């Protein structure tokens, strides 16, 4: 048979037209690579043959006749010769065979068998030996120590190491030979004014560059998304004079850019199937933009985190661009950026990572950073409608409190008070999320639509109603589930602190939180919680405010789900009755607000469970309390008395001077049931009628007339419609100003005196002017007076 025919044909012109340019370029590139590989192999083979010839020209020492050398020659040849006397006979035979077959010059010519006739047994050993590096004569001689060779299944592997050569002497010899370079001229010394001018000029250039990059990114984000990387690279500014300022500006600029560019949804990574699917050009461009945005946002958060770590660990970089004292300023800006992103982008990527960074800083010893983080967390809880972000934050905060063994700042737990867990707010949020759909009435359908259209419209509206109901139900159920899980974590934290850390500084905050969320506590915990709170009050370790929070918690529980329980909380009425006269009468009268809330829950809303004797005792003690507190507290207390007098109409016996019962009033008794308050009168109202505050006088006059709803003694509409707590806040005097402001009264007599300029009688005025106009020149001589006194004494 002849040689095989080449079946490949030259591609026709039509086929070349159908082939893409990329495929043709790849073919050409593969062809060139094959040619280069073939040429490289050929050169390598030629180099190996030339090396073999060079080694063959040397006169080799016959390996079979080895004799010992003298001890003097051993030291000289120790480095160059292998210790063959330690080899086995098989190894020596193998070395002989390798030496004979190295080239045609050293081969046994009597053997007529060709060298490469067939594959031999030790062919791989020969190739390994040939690939071993040999010392060329052109190379500088090195001190090499040959070690014992290693033999394995591949053959013999020589071992050698290079001897360390001390270069101390060589360096000493080379030093004087190196020509000394001319000393570089130091930079010119600048004055302080010139340095400031240079810094201002450099800073202005950086600001213009930052502004140009931000403007380009915001004008066309999809095409200029790569400029985010250039802007982010300025976070490592290396010029020491402007490094701190530039980094702060870049941090804030990037924060504003991400706030503007971030979409209102979470960007998820694409799956392999989505990547392989062909999409439109616009969709592909949007995917690239979102991927780049998330990538740059991640790197930006990592830079902020690294700034915080450097500040916490007090690490200074090797470059020394930023001093150790400047790290605090950078850390403050980094924390501010993280807080702003946490509040404004709760739906975007890496929000949970930001929360994990912010929560430990809420307990930071540096007060400014701690307040910044706590305020941002409160703002997040206030603005979170769905509850997912709040749930994650509460989870991390609870873990922090537990890990620190409940030794955290009270401000950390105060953030729980801003959670939106009330039922009213849940309903309001559900209405915001699912707006109501307005459907056409029957008259509108009959007027504007035909019979067929009305039929289709009816089916369409029915379907839309079902969809709206399904969406609303899902959102409500989802929100209630998240809120339930959040409250479980909150109450778990509260109960742990009450059980294990009753003397902790966190106890007031815990009691305040329980008072707020008591209406949603599970009924199973009511009995145990009431016992614990009663023991805390009776222990005497709580302050007045903490005791009031315990009382408020109990009655919030009983007014909510605990309304079905048959419990008489008389001991808590006694606790409140005793606490009223211990309230602070100064500027820090925040306890009065809690008292007003407790009175509303304990007496007004539970009027069916409260006896008349108990109500009369509270009215009497509240009137006594109104005498020695600030005006806003007096207004709130008198407004509460008005509500109680309307709730219990028979309390008007306190306005009668004649006693209605037997016995005497016992104001020092702590039990409101047995103090016999029906035998006294509200004489405090007579004193309050001369109070300096006009609103207090108005309420005192109104109550002294029996709190009428109509007539001359009735209150104005703006006073009677407001709650006691609202009046307490409206007439607050924390601004050190009189509330309401005083009216300036001008009398004609005062104007007349000021016009005449005489505030004294005429004769007395003349005498005063004469004494003021006369000048007396005195020359006091204390020495003569002292001598006279001394002489008289002697």
């Amino acid at each position: 048979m002849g040689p095989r025919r080449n079946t490949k044909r030259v591609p026709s012109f039509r086929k070349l037209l159908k082939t893409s340019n990329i495929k043709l370029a790849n073919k050409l590139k593969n062809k060139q690579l094959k040619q280069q590989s073939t040429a490289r192999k050929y050169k390598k083979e030629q180099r190996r043959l030339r090396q073999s010839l060079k080694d063959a020209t040397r006169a080799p020492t016959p390996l079979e006749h080895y004799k010992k050398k003298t001890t003097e020659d051993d030291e000289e040849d120790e480095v160059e010769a292998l210790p063959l006397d330690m080899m086995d006979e098989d190894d020596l035979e193998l070395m002989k065979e390798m030496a004979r077959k190295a080239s045609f010059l050293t081969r046994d010519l009597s053997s007529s068998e060709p060298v490469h006739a067939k594959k031999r047994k030790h062919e791989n050993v020969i190739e390994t030996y040939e690939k071993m590096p040999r010392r060329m004569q052109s190379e500088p001689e090195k001190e090499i120590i040959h070690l014992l060779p290693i033999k394995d299944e591949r053959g013999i592997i020589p071992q050698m190491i290079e001897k360390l050569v001390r270069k101390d002497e060589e360096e000493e010899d080379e030093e004087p030979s190196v020509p000394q370079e001319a000393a570089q001229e130091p930079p010119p010394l600048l004055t302080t004014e010139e340095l400031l001018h240079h810094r201002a000029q450099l800073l202005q250039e950086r600001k213009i560059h930052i502004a140009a990059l931000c403007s380009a990114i915001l004008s066309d984000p999809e095409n200029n998304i790569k400029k985010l990387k250039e802007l982010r690279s300025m976070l490592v500014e290396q010029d020491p004079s402007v490094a701190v300022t530039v980094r702060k500006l870049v941090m804030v600029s990037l924060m504003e850019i991400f706030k503007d560019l971030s979409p209102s949804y979470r960007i998820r990574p694409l799956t392999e199937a989505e990547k392989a699917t062909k999409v439109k050009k616009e969709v592909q461009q949007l995917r690239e933009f979102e991927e780049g945005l998330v990538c740059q946002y991640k790197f930006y958060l990592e830079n902020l985190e690294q700034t915080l770590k450097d500040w916490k660990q007090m690490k200074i970089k090797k470059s020394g661009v930023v001093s150790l004292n400047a790290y605090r300023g950078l850390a403050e800006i980094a924390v501010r950026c993280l807080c702003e992103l946490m509040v404004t982008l709760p739906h975007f990527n890496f929000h949970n990572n930001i929360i994990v960074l912010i929560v430990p800083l809420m307990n930071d010893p540096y007060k400014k950073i701690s307040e910044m983080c706590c305020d941002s967390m409160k703002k997040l809880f206030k603005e979170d409608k769905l509850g997912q972000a709040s749930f994650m934050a509460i989870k991390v905060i609870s873990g922090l409190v537990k890990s620190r063994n409940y030794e955290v700042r009270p401000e950390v737990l105060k953030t729980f008070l801003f959670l939106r867990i009330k039922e009213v707010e849940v309903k309001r949020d559900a209405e915001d999320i699912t707006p109501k759909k307005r459907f056409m009435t029957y008259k509108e359908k009959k007027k504007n639509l035909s019979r067929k259209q009305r039929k289709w419209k009816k089916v369409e509206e029915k379907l839309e109603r079902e969809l709206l109901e399904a969406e609303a139900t899902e959102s409500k159920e989802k929100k209630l589930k998240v809120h339930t899980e959040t409250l479980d974590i909150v109450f778990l934290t509260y109960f742990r602190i009450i059980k294990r850390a009753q003397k902790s500084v966190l106890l007031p905050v815990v009691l305040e939180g329980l008072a707020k969320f008591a209406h949603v506590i599970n009924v199973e915990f009511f009995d145990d919680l009431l016992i614990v709170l009663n023991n805390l009050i009776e222990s005497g370790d709580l302050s007045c405010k903490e005791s009031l929070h315990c009382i408020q918690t109990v009655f919030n529980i009983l007014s909510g789900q605990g309304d079905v329980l048959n419990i008489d909380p008389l001991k808590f009425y006694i606790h409140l009755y005793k606490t009223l006269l211990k309230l602070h009468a100064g500027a820090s009268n925040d306890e009065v607000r809690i008292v007003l809330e407790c009175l509303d829950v304990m007496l007004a809303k539970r009027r069916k469970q409260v006896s008349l004797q108990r109500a009369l005792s509270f009215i009497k003690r509240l009137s006594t309390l109104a005498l020695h507190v600030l005006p806003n507290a007096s207004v709130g207390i008198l407004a509460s008395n008005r509500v109680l007098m309307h709730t219990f109409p028979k309390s008007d016996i306190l306005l009668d001077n004649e006693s209605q019962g037997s016995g005497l009033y016992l104001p020092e008794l702590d039990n409101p049931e047995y103090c016999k308050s029906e035998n006294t009168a509200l004489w405090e109202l007579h004193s309050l009628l001369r109070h300096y505050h006009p609103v207090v006088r108005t309420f005192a006059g109104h109550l002294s007339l029996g709190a009428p709803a109509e007539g001359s003694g009735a209150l104005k509409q703006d006073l009677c419609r407001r709650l006691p707590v609202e009046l307490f806040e409206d007439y607050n005097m924390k601004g050190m100003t009189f509330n309401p402001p005083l009216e300036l009264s001008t009398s004609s007599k005062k104007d007349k005196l000021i016009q005449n300029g005489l505030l004294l009688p005429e004769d007395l005025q003349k005498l005063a002017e004469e004494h003021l106009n006369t000048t007396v020149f005195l020359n006091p001589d204390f020495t003569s007076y002292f001598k006279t006194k001394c002489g008289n004494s002697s």
Side-chain angles (χ1 to χ4, degrees):
M1 294 177 63
R4 185 176 179 182
R5 188 174 179 182
N6 188 7
T7 56
K8 289 186 178 181
R9 297 182 181 179
V10 180
S12 62
F13 182 72
R14 184 181 299 276
K15 190 172 183 181
L16 288 174
L17 286 177
K18 292 182 180 180
T19 309
S20 62
N21 294 330
I22 298 176
K23 191 170 183 180
L24 293 174
N26 290 338
K27 286 184 177 182
L28 181 61
K29 190 174 181 180
N30 292 337
K31 186 177 180 181
Q32 292 175 355
L33 289 175
K34 287 181 180 179
Q35 292 177 356
Q36 292 175 3
S37 177
T38 305
R40 199 180 298 112
K41 289 180 180 179
Y42 177 75
K43 290 180 180 179
K44 192 173 182 181
E45 187 68 27
Q46 293 295 325
R47 194 183 303 113
R48 188 181 300 167
L49 290 174
R50 287 195 297 269
Q51 187 66 31
S52 301
L53 287 174
K54 288 181 181 179
D55 294 340
T57 53
R58 298 177 184 175
T61 305
L63 297 176
E64 55 270 33
H65 302 289
Y66 177 76
K67 64 180 181 178
K68 266 192 173 181
K69 295 186 179 180
T70 59
T71 56
E72 297 177 357
D73 297 333
D74 286 345
E75 297 178 358
E76 297 178 0
D77 299 337
E78 184 182 3
V79 180
E80 296 180 0
L82 286 171
L84 298 177
D85 54 342
M86 296 184 184
M87 292 186 180
D88 298 335
E89 294 181 359
D90 298 338
D91 296 337
L92 288 175
E93 293 294 333
L94 181 61
M95 294 293 290
K96 292 176 186 178
E97 186 178 0
M98 287 165 59
R100 285 196 303 270
K101 297 178 181 179
S103 64
F104 67 95
L105 294 175
T106 58
R107 192 171 65 235
D108 188 7
L109 298 178
S110 61
S111 176
S112 59
E113 184 180 3
V115 179
H116 303 290
K118 61 180 179 179
K119 290 185 178 181
R120 292 173 175 81
K121 182 178 181 181
H122 300 289
E123 185 176 0
N124 54 351
V125 179
I126 298 174
E127 291 179 358
T128 305
Y129 180 79
E130 288 294 331
K131 291 178 181 178
M132 285 171 50
R134 296 179 176 83
R135 189 172 58 185
M136 305 293 293
Q137 293 181 357
S138 60
E139 294 179 356
E141 294 184 358
K142 298 180 181 179
E143 295 188 13
I144 299 176
I145 299 176
H146 294 274
L147 305 178
L148 292 175
I150 298 173
K151 181 181 179 182
D152 58 359
E153 57 185 17
R154 296 176 296 177
I156 297 174
I157 303 175
Q159 300 292 312
M160 60 187 70
I161 59 171
E162 294 184 3
K163 187 178 180 181
L164 297 176
V165 181
R166 294 183 179 180
K167 298 184 179 181
D168 298 341
E169 297 178 358
E170 297 178 2
E171 290 177 359
E172 291 177 359
D173 296 340
E174 291 176 0
E175 282 180 0
S177 61
V178 176
Q180 295 182 356
E181 297 181 357
Q184 296 182 356
E185 296 182 359
L189 297 175
L190 300 177
T191 61
T192 306
E193 183 179 358
E194 292 175 348
L195 288 173
L196 292 175
H197 177 70
H198 176 68
R199 182 184 180 278
Q201 186 177 3
L202 193 62
L203 187 59
Q204 186 66 21
E205 293 177 0
R206 297 289 193 277
K207 288 181 179 179
I208 294 173
H209 186 52
I210 293 171
L213 289 175
C214 295
S215 178
I217 293 169
L218 294 176
S219 60
D220 191 3
E222 294 184 354
N223 295 329
N224 296 328
I225 191 65
K226 293 184 179 179
K227 291 189 177 180
L228 273 175
K229 184 178 181 181
E230 183 179 354
L231 182 61
R232 190 174 54 80
S233 64
M234 297 182 71
L235 286 173
V236 289
E237 175 67 38
Q238 297 299 321
D239 196 335
S241 59
V242 295
V244 178
T245 307
V246 170
R247 292 184 183 187
K248 291 180 179 179
L249 292 174
V250 174
M251 285 180 188
V252 178
S253 301
L254 283 170
M255 177 195 70
E256 296 295 335
I257 287 175
F258 286 120
K259 284 169 59 178
D260 292 339
L261 296 185
S262 299
S264 59
Y265 54 88
R266 187 182 299 271
I267 300 174
R268 62 174 181 82
L270 298 176
T271 61
E272 296 296 334
E274 290 175 343
K275 291 179 180 179
T277 306
K278 291 184 179 181
V279 294
K280 293 182 180 180
K281 184 178 180 181
E282 293 80 5
V283 177
Q284 183 64 26
Q285 190 175 4
L286 179 62
R287 286 182 176 179
E288 293 176 356
F289 166 73
E290 290 179 346
E291 185 179 357
L293 180 65
V294 172
C295 184
Q296 294 301 324
Y297 186 59
K298 177 185 175 183
F299 291 148
Y300 171 63
L301 294 179
E302 289 176 351
N303 289 333
L304 296 181
E305 182 184 7
Q306 188 62 41
T307 303
L308 291 175
K309 285 183 178 179
D310 293 341
W311 171 61
K312 297 298 286 184
Q313 299 173 1
M314 302 300 288
K315 288 173 58 178
I316 187 168
K317 302 294 184 181
K318 294 181 179 179
S319 59
V321 175
V322 180
S323 63
L324 205 58
N325 297 329
Y327 271 118
R328 176 178 290 183
L330 287 174
E332 290 179 5
I333 300 297
V335 171
R336 184 176 300 173
C337 294
L338 287 171
C339 293
E340 189 70 21
L341 292 172
M342 180 184 68
V343 174
T344 55
L345 301 177
H347 54 274
F348 198 55
N349 299 54
F350 309 112
H351 187 258
N352 294 342
N353 303 75
I354 299 176
I355 291 175
V356 173
L357 280 176
I358 292 295
V359 168
L361 297 175
M362 294 170 63
N363 194 40
D364 194 81
Y366 186 42
K367 188 175 180 181
K368 188 174 181 181
I369 287 182
S370 176
E371 291 178 353
M372 198 186 306
C373 296
C374 291
D375 293 341
S376 63
M377 195 62 67
K378 294 175 185 177
K379 192 174 180 181
L380 176 67
F381 291 158
K382 286 180 182 178
E383 298 179 359
D384 186 23
K385 291 185 176 182
L386 298 176
Q388 292 289 346
S390 301
F391 172 68
M392 182 61 190
I394 290 294
K395 196 173 180 181
V396 179
I397 292 174
S398 177
L400 173 71
V401 174
K402 186 179 179 181
S403 63
R404 299 289 176 87
N405 198 15
Y406 310 103
E407 295 179 359
V408 296
R409 298 164 63 98
E411 289 78 6
V412 177
L413 286 182
K414 279 185 180 179
T415 56
F416 289 3
L417 302 176
F418 294 86
L419 287 168
R420 304 181 64 175
I421 310 290
K422 291 184 179 179
E423 190 68 20
V424 177
E425 292 178 349
V426 172
K427 291 180 180 178
R428 186 188 64 193
D429 292 344
E431 292 173 1
D432 294 341
I433 296 172
T434 58
K436 294 182 178 179
K437 175 74 174 177
R438 182 183 179 275
F439 298 102
M440 295 177 66
T441 61
Y442 179 77
K443 291 183 178 180
E444 291 176 349
K445 292 178 183 177
K446 192 172 182 180
K447 182 179 179 180
N448 300 324
L449 302 176
S450 63
R451 181 179 295 178
K452 188 175 182 180
Q453 289 176 342
R454 288 200 299 269
K455 185 177 179 180
W456 282 105
K457 190 70 176 177
K458 185 178 180 180
V459 177
E460 183 181 353
E461 287 181 354
K462 182 180 179 182
L463 180 60
E464 287 181 357
R465 283 195 183 94
E466 293 177 356
L467 290 174
L468 287 175
E469 289 175 1
E471 290 177 0
T473 304
E474 182 183 359
S475 63
K476 287 180 182 179
E477 291 177 355
K478 186 177 180 181
K479 181 176 292 186
L480 288 175
K481 183 179 179 181
V482 173
H483 284 178
T484 304
E485 294 176 355
T486 305
L487 279 177
D488 288 343
I489 299 175
V490 171
F491 287 135
L492 180 62
T493 306
Y494 284 166
F495 294 157
R496 281 175 177 170
I497 294 174
I498 290 177
K499 183 179 179 181
R500 302 180 183 178
Q502 292 186 358
K503 295 185 179 181
S504 172
V505 294
L506 302 177
L507 188 61
V509 185
V510 170
L511 296 175
E512 188 177 357
L514 286 174
K516 180 174 182 180
F517 303 117
H519 62 285
V520 289
I521 297 179
N522 196 347
V523 184
E524 299 175 356
F525 302 114
F526 283 175
D527 293 335
D528 296 336
L529 189 58
L530 291 178
I531 294 172
V532 170
L533 293 177
N534 185 40
N535 294 335
L536 284 174
I537 296 175
E538 292 180 350
S539 65
D541 298 332
L542 302 182
S543 63
C544 180
K545 189 174 182 180
E546 295 169 2
S547 301
L548 290 173
H549 279 309
C550 290
I551 298 169
Q552 188 181 13
T553 302
V554 171
F555 284 95
N556 283 339
I557 290 173
L558 296 178
S559 63
Q561 302 178 30
D563 194 16
V564 297
L565 300 177
N566 189 14
I567 298 175
D568 183 19
L570 176 60
K571 48 191 174 183
F572 293 102
Y573 281 98
I574 297 174
H575 291 320
L576 179 62
Y577 190 74
K578 290 191 300 185
T579 311
L580 285 178
L581 294 181
K582 300 178 183 178
L583 297 181
H584 198 285
S588 58
N589 58 350
D590 296 333
E591 297 94 345
V592 178
R593 179 186 177 91
I594 307 173
V595 169
L596 297 177
E597 294 175 354
C598 290
L599 290 172
D600 181 51
V601 179
M602 297 169 64
L603 299 174
K605 293 182 178 179
R606 293 175 59 88
R607 54 184 177 271
K608 294 182 180 180
Q609 290 89 0
V610 178
S611 63
L612 179 61
Q613 183 65 37
R614 194 181 302 176
L616 293 176
S617 301
F618 272 98
I619 292 174
K620 176 61 180 176
R621 180 151 289 193
L622 287 172
S623 300
T624 307
L625 178 63
L627 291 173
H628 63 268
V629 292
L630 291 180
N632 61 328
S634 297
V635 172
I637 290 170
L638 293 176
S640 296
N641 274 351
R642 178 179 177 271
V643 174
L644 293 178
M645 293 177 73
H646 286 172
T647 307
F648 301 94
K650 293 183 179 181
S651 61
D652 57 353
I653 61 175
L654 294 174
L655 302 176
D656 191 359
N657 293 333
E658 297 179 1
S659 60
Q660 300 292 329
S662 61
L664 296 174
Y665 172 60
L666 304 174
E668 71 279 0
L669 196 64
D670 292 333
N671 195 330
E673 293 287 344
Y674 306 109
C675 64
K676 299 182 180 181
S677 57
E678 70 273 6
N679 296 327
T680 185
L682 296 178
W683 57 265
E684 294 89 357
L685 297 178
H686 185 68
S687 300
L688 291 172
L689 286 172
R690 295 189 296 272
H691 199 277
Y692 66 90
H693 199 280
V695 183
V696 176
R697 292 197 301 267
T698 303
F699 268 97
H702 174 69
L703 293 178
S704 62
L705 296 175
E710 297 178 353
S712 59
L715 288 177
K716 297 179 181 179
Q717 294 294 329
D718 59 338
L719 293 177
C720 65
R721 289 184 177 180
R722 283 187 285 181
L723 298 174
V725 178
E726 295 177 356
L727 291 169
F728 172 76
E729 294 293 340
D730 292 342
Y731 293 100
N732 199 349
M733 300 176 65
K734 288 185 178 179
M736 300 303 292
T737 57
F738 194 80
N739 189 8
L742 293 174
E743 297 180 359
L744 296 177
S745 61
T746 57
S747 62
S748 59
K749 185 177 180 180
K750 185 177 180 181
D751 294 341
K752 186 177 180 180
L753 288 173
I754 294 174
Q755 289 175 3
N756 294 335
L758 296 175
L759 299 176
L760 298 174
E762 292 183 2
D763 53 350
L764 188 60
Q765 184 72 23
K766 289 179 181 179
L767 184 62
E769 290 178 356
E770 289 177 0
H771 281 280
L772 290 173
N773 293 332
T774 56
T775 57
V776 180
F777 296 97
L778 297 176
N779 187 12
D781 189 1
F782 297 102
T783 307
S784 60
Y785 177 77
F786 180 72
K787 290 179 180 180
T788 305
K789 294 291 289 182
C790 291
N792 295 333
S793 62
S794 63

